[in-house]
Amino acid sequence: QKEVEQNSGPLSVPEGAIASLNCTYSDRGSQSFFWYRQYSGKSPELIMFIYSNGDKEDGRFTAQLNKASQYVSLLIRDSQPSDSATYLCAVKGTGGFKTIFGAGTRLFVKA
Amino acid sequence: GAVVSQHPSRVICKSGTSVKIECRSLDFQATTMFWYRQFPKQSLMLMATSNEGSKATYEQGVEKDKFLINHASLTLSTLTVTSAHPEDSSFYICSAREGSDWTIAFFGQGTRLTVV
C-alpha cells in the first residue's frame, strides 16, 4: 500500500463547477497535510495546509480532513481553466520529519 | 510565502560530465533543505535531506557518491550530479524550511536536467 494515495485522473470538470480531489494516507500518526498545485514543467506551489479535523477554507479552496478515516480532500469552487494542473497531496508523518507526496491528480477545467 | 531560488532552471550536459544545482533561501535562514527528483508524470521522490553544517541524509537507493550535497551555509545548498548519464535526466527540485520539523518548507523553481 502506498503511503499517500491519489487518483491519477484526469479529472475533468466544466468551468464554474466544483472540483473535488481526494487523498488517503496510511500513517495514522500523521499530523500535517498539504495540498500543492503543480503546473506542467514547474515546481509545486503550496495552496493549503490543514492540521485539524474538519474544514479549512481559503478563497475558492476548502481542505477537508478526517483523521479517523485517514482521508483529506480539496474542493475547488467556481473552477477556472487556470486551475487546470496536477494537484499533489502531501502528508507529514509521525515525528514530522519527512513529507510524503502522493502521485498527484491531474485536473482539467473545460472552458 | 518565503522565497527559494534554484539555479539553473534548465541544463543540458554531456554524458560523463558533472552538473551543479544551487538552491538558495532568499529571505530566511534555511536550517533544513530537501532535494527531490521527479520523473515525468510521477510524484516527487525525496533524494536527501541536508542540515546546515552537517552531512546530508540520503534516502534508500540514492547513491551519495553520485549525488553530492553540500549545505555549507544557512542560505545555500548545492546538489552536484557527478558523471551524469541519460537516466539521470529528470526534474530536480529543492525545498527549504526555517526552524523546526513542523514549519512549512517552500520549493525552488526546479531544474530540468537533460543528459545527452
Side-chain angles (χ1 to χ4, degrees), chain B residues 7-79:
Chain B
H7 178 81
S9 59
R10 190 179 292 267
V11 59
I12 300 173
C13 71
K14 290 185 178 180
S15 187
T17 61
S18 295
V19 173
K20 180 184 284 189
I21 303 169
E22 291 188 349
C23 181
R24 293 181 185 273
S25 57
L26 298 186
D27 53 359
F28 66 100
Q29 293 187 323
T31 49
T32 307
M33 287 190 173
F34 303 90
W35 287 96
Y36 294 87
R37 180 167 52 181
Q38 187 178 36
F39 292 107
K41 297 187 178 181
Q42 295 186 26
S43 189
L44 282 74
M45 296 303 297
L46 180 65
M47 298 175 67
T49 303
S50 72
N51 293 296
E52 186 264 340
S54 59
K55 288 185 179 180
T57 301
Y58 289 82
E59 294 300 302
Q60 194 172 8
V62 178
E63 300 174 58
K64 61 180 180 181
D65 294 330
K66 181 169 182 61
F67 299 99
L68 301 178
I69 292 172
N70 184 292
H71 190 168
S73 79
L74 283 172
T75 59
L76 173 65
S77 176
T78 61
L79 166 67

Side-chain angles (χ1 to χ4, degrees), chain A residues 31-32 34 36 38 41-44 46 49 51 88 92 95-98 101-103, chain B residues 34 36 38 43-44 46 49 59 91 93 97 101-105 107-110 112:
Chain A
Q31 299 291 326
S32 309
F34 306 87
Y36 289 87
Q38 186 176 25
K42 303 293 184 182
S43 70
L46 181 66
F49 59 89
Y51 301 141
L88 303 175
K92 223 176 224 191
F97 179 67
K98 195 184 296 187
F101 286 83
Chain B
F34 303 90
Y36 294 87
Q38 187 178 36
S43 189
L44 282 74
L46 180 65
T49 303
E59 294 300 302
F91 192 47
I93 313 173
R97 70 172 184 218
D101 290 345
W102 298 102
T103 55
I104 293 171
F107 284 96
Q109 303 95 319
R112 173 73 58 192

